[in-house]
């Protein structure tokens, strides 16, 4: 179980529904990143944690997006009142120290808002 | 906005041939990473090259970095059908916070 694990793999939400996406990083990894990837595009940064501290949330597209990592391990990305434009793959990555090292990504959660 | 741009956008080759894809970026970096993504799957880390390095190898992969031209290339030798995927470069840009910047990727098809 050495990799980054994300759940669920797929999520279909009705517009207006709240969703929570989970990321289990590699054990012992200090840094954790969330990215959003639209179809046919490269991943776009959402937010960054160093242990439990959210050091950068500049990429979160609106205040409907919220992320936490309360114990410095598992992280949850929550999207409130989902809209169709939120449909994307949400990727989580972790790295041992900071962003200057290799970052390992999970399989992602594909969110479809209908 | 995306910092890195891969070129070409799409590449189709025969199995056994070499594949070269390029990444250009705009500002100074600490390092650059290459990732592979199979359709509908997550990103698989391939290689990290630091700004003071010029070339790195890993198996059939060879990555070069030219900081004067702000560009990197990924060479896959003796390609296999299983190499069919999208390839992304991600740059760690100096003094810009905590994110990696990805390009839009090169879609590689290896024909058996």
């Amino acid at each position: 179980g050495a990799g980054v694990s994300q759940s669920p793999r797929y999520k279909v939400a009705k517009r207006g529904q709240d969703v929570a996406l989970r990321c289990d990083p590699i054990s012992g990894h200090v840094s954790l990143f969330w990215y959003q990837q639209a179809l046919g595009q490269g991943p776009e940064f959402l937010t960054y944690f160093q242990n439990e501290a959210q050091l950068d949330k500049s990429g979160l597209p609106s205040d409907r997006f919220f992320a936490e990592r309360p114990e410095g391990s598992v992280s949850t990305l929550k999207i409130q009142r989902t809209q169709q434009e939120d449909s994307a793959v949400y990727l989580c990555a972790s790295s041992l120290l900071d962003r200057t090292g290799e970052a390992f990504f999970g399989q992602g959660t594909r969110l479809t808002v209908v | 906005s995306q910092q890195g741009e891969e070129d070409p956008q799409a590449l189709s080759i025969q199995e056994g041939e070499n594949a070269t894809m390029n990444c250009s970026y705009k500002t100074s970096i600490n390092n650059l990473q290459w990732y592979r993504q199979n359709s509908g799957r997550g990103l698989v880390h391939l290689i990290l090259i630091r700004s003071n390095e010029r070339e790195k190898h890993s198996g059939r992969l060879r990555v070069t970095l030219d900081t004067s031209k702000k560009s990197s290339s990924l060479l896959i030798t003796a390609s296999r059908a299983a190499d069919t995927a999208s390839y992304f470069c991600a740059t760690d840009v100096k003094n810009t916070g905590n994110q990696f910047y990805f390009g839009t990727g090169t879609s590689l098809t290896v024909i058996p």
Side-chain angles (χ1 to χ4, degrees), chain A residues 9 33 35 37 41-45 48 55-56 91 99-107 110, chain B residues 2 30-31 33 35 37 40-43 45 48 50 88 92-93 97-100 102-104:
Chain A
R9 285 292 312 280
F33 308 82
Y35 279 79
Q37 186 176 23
Q41 298 296 313
E44 294 272 359
F45 173 78
Y48 166 72
L55 299 185
D56 188 341
L91 296 163
R99 78 183 198 280
T100 62
E102 296 171 337
F104 298 92
F105 281 79
Q107 297 277 35
R110 182 177 297 277
Chain B
Q2 289 172 316
N30 293 310
N31 63 57
Q33 305 187 54
Y35 289 86
Q37 186 175 43
R41 308 291 292 274
L43 292 156
H45 186 271
L48 179 151
R50 301 198 182 278
F88 294 90
D92 171 14
V93 178
N98 301 285
Q99 59 175 291
F100 304 103
F102 285 84
T104 53

Side-chain angles (χ1 to χ4, degrees), chain A residues 80-92:
Chain A
Q80 298 176 323
R81 304 181 303 282
T82 53
Q83 300 176 6
Q84 283 192 316
E85 60 261 32
D86 299 335
S87 296
V89 175
Y90 290 86
L91 296 163
C92 175

Side-chain angles (χ1 to χ4, degrees), chain A residues 5-8 11 17-24 32-37 44-49 54 56-57 59-70 73-80 82 86 88-93 108-111:
Chain A
S5 178
Q6 292 186 246
S7 61
K11 177 68 179 178
Q17 186 180 351
D18 297 349
V19 298
L21 313 180
R22 178 187 169 105
C23 172
D24 283 84
L32 185 145
F33 308 82
W34 282 98
Y35 279 79
Q36 179 191 59
Q37 186 176 23
E44 294 272 359
F45 173 78
L46 293 176
T47 187
Y48 166 72
F49 289 86
Q54 188 176 21
D56 188 341
K57 52 183 181 179
L60 295 177
S62 77
D63 58 7
R64 296 186 296 104
F65 286 71
F66 172 76
E68 60 183 5
R69 193 187 185 198
S73 177
V74 172
S75 177
T76 304
L77 176 67
K78 298 179 180 178
I79 309 173
Q80 298 176 323
T82 53
D86 299 335
V89 175
Y90 290 86
L91 296 163
C92 175
T109 294
R110 182 177 297 277
L111 173 66

